[in-house]
Amino acid sequence: MNDFTLLAHNYVRPEVQQIADFTGDSLELAKKAQEVDAGTIVFAGVDFMAEMAAILNPDRDVIHPDPHAKCAMALRIRPSDILETRRRYPDAEVVTYINSSAAIKAVSDIICTSSNAVKIVNSMDADTIIFAPDQNLAAYVAEHTRKELIPVPALGCCPVHHALTVEDIGERIRKYPEAEVIVHPETTPGVQRIADFIGSTSAMIRYVRESKADTILVGTEHGIISRMKLESPGKRIIPASMHLVCPDMKMCTVDRCLQAVKEHGPIVHVDKEVAADARRALERMLEVT
Ligand code: 13P
Ligand code: SF4
């Protein structure tokens, strides 16, 4: 049995991805966090990811090498936003994106990720779904299901993906007219409309590997590019904009990961009651998927 397992998200620095035991999208990482047999998980990513691993592993230490690394979208919602909306829509169910704190997950019926959001929403009994906290993923799900989605907060979004414009992509297409365009569902509906493929970070990596196109424009965070180049060496893989950088995803460096192992910390702590409620919503997602 290994003492430590290093899990890393597809957006973290390439050198951290290279030393990781497993790299993946949020759903793959949630599943992996349930399976590992190491005594301690070290999680290279942003806060909600390490917290999610801790919630799923109440008897194991989960270390987040840099607790200052926070998801800017997850910070934009409070539990009271969901509770108030529940009061306004008493028949609705709450589906919350995994990019959220434990306190938000705890007041949700079920969690989803970018790769299973449509499936999770379709699995719900209610016709009206309160969906937190990404308006763009909510719009994507509404487009692919027959449910009515109420985004909470109304304008919640990832500042990195939301800033990608149709003009940015148009500019690139003028330079590479033969290119295929792939984007993450956190991009705006306008951007999604001009994309050839919309998917989670790992689905995008697979798409690049399997596509017949020589040139692919990638509308998601830069950290994914080096991995795509490594896995698809013959292809021209171009960021759809040079501004698609999530600074918090860059905070976990190799040095910080090594220091975290040496010092056995910082350990992620989640309030027991909050963690139990959040675990219920996360496990419900894992059962459906
Ligand atoms: P994935 O679940 O697709 O990896 O996305 C996580 C994320 O933070 C996207 O910005
Ligand atoms: Fe959060 Fe956006 Fe960074 Fe993903 S890219 S972790 S959604 S701020």
Side-chain angles (χ1 to χ4, degrees):
M1 177 170 121
N2 279 331
D3 270 353
F4 292 90
T5 289
L6 176 59
L7 302 183
H9 186 262
N10 290 324
Y11 289 162
V12 300
R13 293 167 181 272
E15 61 275 20
V16 175
Q17 295 196 36
Q18 267 159 34
I19 61 162
D21 294 294
F22 182 80
T23 309
D25 67 14
S26 306
L27 181 62
E28 292 168 335
L29 288 164
K31 287 183 177 165
K32 208 68 189 175
Q34 267 202 326
E35 288 165 9
V36 292
D37 64 358
T40 302
I41 295 174
V42 179
F43 208 118
V46 287
D47 55 348
F48 76 83
M49 297 178 170
E51 201 178 56
M52 170 272 294
I55 292 166
L56 292 171
N57 287 280
D59 301 323
R60 184 176 278 154
D61 285 345
V62 175
I63 292 175
H64 189 201
D66 193 334
H68 299 294
K70 295 182 187 297
C71 169
M73 168 158 59
L75 292 172
R76 291 180 175 188
I77 179 168
R78 296 155 306 169
S80 58
D81 297 327
I82 292 186
L83 297 174
E84 275 160 27
T85 316
R86 264 198 200 273
R87 276 195 284 278
R88 280 195 285 129
Y89 298 91
D91 296 331
E93 289 174 293
V94 178
V95 178
T96 292
Y97 191 25
I98 199 161
N99 293 40
S100 54
S101 68
I104 298 294
K105 289 184 176 80
V107 293
S108 307
D109 293 310
I110 192 166
I111 306 306
C112 73
T113 73
S114 61
S115 68
N116 65 15
V118 169
K119 188 173 188 168
I120 296 290
V121 167
N122 272 332
S123 77
M124 306 307 281
D125 291 330
D127 293 327
T128 304
I129 303 295
I130 298 167
F131 191 93
D134 185 12
Q135 57 166 321
N136 293 324
L137 184 59
Y140 173 80
V141 173
E143 176 101 15
H144 292 85
T145 65
R146 287 162 180 260
K147 307 278 188 183
E148 183 197 5
L149 267 83
I150 316 286
V152 178
L155 300 179
C157 67
C158 161
V160 181
H161 286 89
H162 197 73
L164 178 66
T165 62
V166 172
E167 290 72 30
D168 291 330
I169 296 183
E171 210 173 286
R172 286 281 199 268
I173 290 178
R174 274 194 291 284
K175 204 162 167 203
Y176 305 101
E178 75 291 3
E180 280 190 340
V181 179
I182 64 173
V183 303
H184 195 273
E186 288 176 14
T187 55
T188 63
V191 165
Q192 292 182 30
R193 264 193 294 278
I194 54 172
D196 296 293
F197 177 74
I198 305 165
S200 78
T201 53
S202 288
M204 293 168 93
I205 292 168
R206 278 193 298 277
Y207 184 92
V208 171
R209 219 189 294 133
E210 287 159 19
S211 166
K212 299 226 174 349
D214 293 330
T215 308
I216 301 179
L217 300 181
V218 180
T220 195
E221 211 276 340
H222 274 208
I224 206 171
I225 303 282
S226 55
R227 172 97 182 275
M228 286 173 169
K229 286 186 173 166
L230 214 66
E231 291 198 14
S232 309
K235 296 189 176 143
R236 194 151 51 163
I237 298 155
I238 298 161
S241 152
M242 293 318 285
H243 303 297
L244 285 163
V245 178
C246 175
D248 289 77
M249 277 288 185
K250 308 303 163 205
M251 287 185 177
C252 287
T253 59
V254 168
D255 279 355
R256 277 193 202 277
C257 290
L258 296 178
Q259 199 181 344
V261 170
K262 207 164 122 197
E263 294 174 358
H264 200 88
I267 293 173
V268 179
H269 294 288
V270 187
D271 174 86
K272 270 204 173 120
E273 275 179 31
V274 172
D277 285 340
R279 192 176 313 120
R280 172 198 39 75
L282 267 169
E283 284 177 349
R284 188 170 168 196
M285 168 188 81
L286 292 167
E287 273 162 33
V288 174
T289 327

